[in-house]
Amino acid sequence: MSVEEKIKAGVNLYAVIKNIEQLVVLDPEIKELVKNWKISIEFRVKNGPVASIRFKDGKCEVIKGKFRKVDVVLFFFSEAHLNKMFDGNANPLPLKGFTRLGFLDKEFSKVTDKLEYYLKPTPELLKDENYMRINTIFTLVTAINALPVIMEFDPKAKLTGSHLTDGSLFINVENGPSAFVKTGPNFLEVEEGDSEKATCEMTLRNINIANQFFSGEVDIFSALAKQDIKINGQTYLLDNIGLILDRIPIYVS
Amino acid sequence: MKKYSYKKSNELFERAVEVIPNGIYGHFSPAPLVPVSAYPFYIESAEGSHFTDVDGNEFIDYMCGYGPMVAGYKNKTIDKAVFEQYQKVDTVTGAPEVMVDLAEEMVKTISIADWAFFAKNGNDVTSYALMAAREHTQRKKIIRLKGGYHGVHPWTQSPDHPGIIFDDAKNIILGKWNDIDDLKRIIKEHKNEIAGLISTPYHHPIFFDNEMPHEGYWQEVEKICRKEGIVLIIDEVRTGFRIDERGANETFGFKPDLICFSKAMANGYPISALVGTNEIKSSVSKVFYTGSFWFSAVPMVASLETIKYLKANKGVEKMHDYGKKMEKGLVDLANKYGYDLKVSGHPAMPFYRITDDPTTKLHQQWCAECTLRGAYFTSHHNWFVSTAHSEKDLKLTLEIADDAFNALKKNN
Ligand SMILES: Cc1ncc(COP(=O)(O)O)c(C=O)c1O
């Protein structure tokens, strides 16, 4: 299996669908839709990554790996197969939960359609402030959760991973979302955390800057000089995380 | 104390990003300055140990252009000769007379030097040294040490960086500073494959404490290189003419085959040099290496005068003494405010760090507060002193540092 397919699959499973946790909070239509859902779905790639999603009490939780109890298992023969499904060009093989297939087709697809809508902006859509906010949050969540995947499989990012030191990075968008990443040699994990706990901090001036930054459209050196982005602490950590972030667009369009 | 602001610097930067990649790129990029708002970007003029930015703020310069300035900006003795040369010729169809004078002066001054070769930037000669080592040994691998900086050519960078490919590092082996066992391991694994070892005379990485060689380290490295036929290359681009004008190896008691100089050798005029022993001269001569501006006369005159000036004025001693006094003054002040200020490296290019906060946020704040008051301190890089730094500068620096510690205490 090619590195490209492995990374795409990892990003799809661990980063893209992670956004559904926020989608059910931020989008009123989806919030209403999932209000009474009680279902868990497992995505399983043969000899590959596994991720699971659970809807309960109007909330959504996405994890790496499996829940103890699961209602539906969707099986994929390969990473490529999974990626094709995410591109809308293939169907999974249901291993469990045949009675829920209708639900997946009609109801769950509304969630994934909406997710795609927020993740694929057009200049027109970005003019809408609310859309832009959600798109930024999703781009941040996707990027941050893609980091460990990129580091595992991309040869350059793997080398960068070996240069990481023990520390943590707090990324904060003023009046917007934030994220916390813990690091160590060959180690990178998204965690809960705040500025107090972080050894390195990065603050983005506003949601506009954040949107451009996480979609790879900002030249970071200039942004730092213009104070659109501010950093402090162990900034060499950010140099390395920046190198891994830079690798994302190579695999994710 | 009044704090500076940088309106015009920022306006210029806005214009710059439109027409220059990164606005200001490389080591002068404002990106590693924390917070950026405490630092000027554009400089209007300089004299002695001071520079004035485009907003009219005057600073005592503790970066000295990141090393090149060593005898004071607009040094009268050096610049007199420089301007005379300007009147005669700079770049022309042939080599200038002063090139021979400068080579002779370097051979006379630098203990191991039997010859000198001139280029422009430090990286020109670090790369040339590699080629020479490969030609001399007919081997392909080079050892460089982790955290060492030798420029920006692909071989000097880690292949995870943009624009660099894994093939660029195929024949580069990363060793560890001050670690003889590691060196022995590498040599064992690559028996008869290693052409050269390149290292700075002491370890001066950015962000981290600088490290002097352990007792006996260089003697052991030299012995191993001799035994294994490895060319020993010392990169003195940063340390050159600040630690020991005979070569820092004299301070540390060993003899390399090649030494790279640039930065301070001409007090800010653009020139670099590779010097070496007669044993390697014919190999060096075989490697075709040149550049359009490498024969320009003005920087050669500047270099000749700088070296003479430093020797005549006991430059190395002066910088050492200033560095030591500053160290004592700053450490005492830190203690007064209850901070531990650690100083590493050589007094002429010390690396400072407030150890109370391992995230370096405190140290960044203090350096920024000093800069905002007129003592230009970076938090990520070693500083530089020059022969132009005076008692008056020291006094003002300590006053600024005092006020900055006071602000630090209040803000934390
Ligand atoms: C130790 C060392 N080697 C080499 C270089 C590269 O010199 P240059 O930037 O002139 O090419 C530098 C520059 O900072 C340096 O400090």
Side-chain angles (χ1 to χ4, degrees), chain A residues 155-157 159-163 165 195-201 219-227 229 231-236 239-240 243 246-247, chain B residues 10 13-14 17-18 21-24 26 29-32 34-37 41 146 158-166 174 207-208 358-361 364:
Chain A
K156 280 197 167 203
L159 179 60
T160 306
S162 73
H163 301 153
T165 45
S195 135
E196 282 293 298
K197 222 173 99 180
T199 63
C200 173
E201 288 177 70
D219 148 29
I220 178 132
F221 284 85
S222 309
L224 286 167
K226 293 203 289 190
Q227 297 174 61
I229 299 175
I231 55 174
N232 71 15
Q234 296 170 341
T235 52
Y236 48 86
D239 290 344
N240 282 326
L243 287 175
D246 271 351
R247 305 293 299 164
Chain B
N10 284 292
F13 193 86
E14 293 282 343
V17 285
E18 297 300 322
N22 293 136
I24 303 172
S29 161
V34 180
V36 162
S37 59
F41 306 158
K146 223 175 146 187
S158 178
D160 58 337
H161 282 229
I164 314 296
I165 57 174
F166 281 96
L174 275 184
F207 291 115
F208 298 99
T359 72
T360 73
K361 289 177 195 173
Q364 287 163 347

Side-chain angles (χ1 to χ4, degrees), chain A residues 20 23-25 27-39 55 57-59 103-104 106-115:
Chain A
I20 301 176
L23 181 68
V24 306
V25 180
D27 184 276
E29 199 187 318
I30 298 296
K31 190 175 183 171
E32 181 61 27
L33 179 74
V34 307
K35 195 169 61 182
N36 298 315
W37 286 10
K38 190 169 183 301
I39 186 168
F55 296 93
D57 305 328
K59 292 200 184 94
F103 162 85
L104 286 180
K106 290 206 184 66
E107 302 298 313
F108 185 63
S109 62
K110 286 182 190 159
V111 173
T112 52
D113 287 350
K114 206 51 180 283
L115 179 64

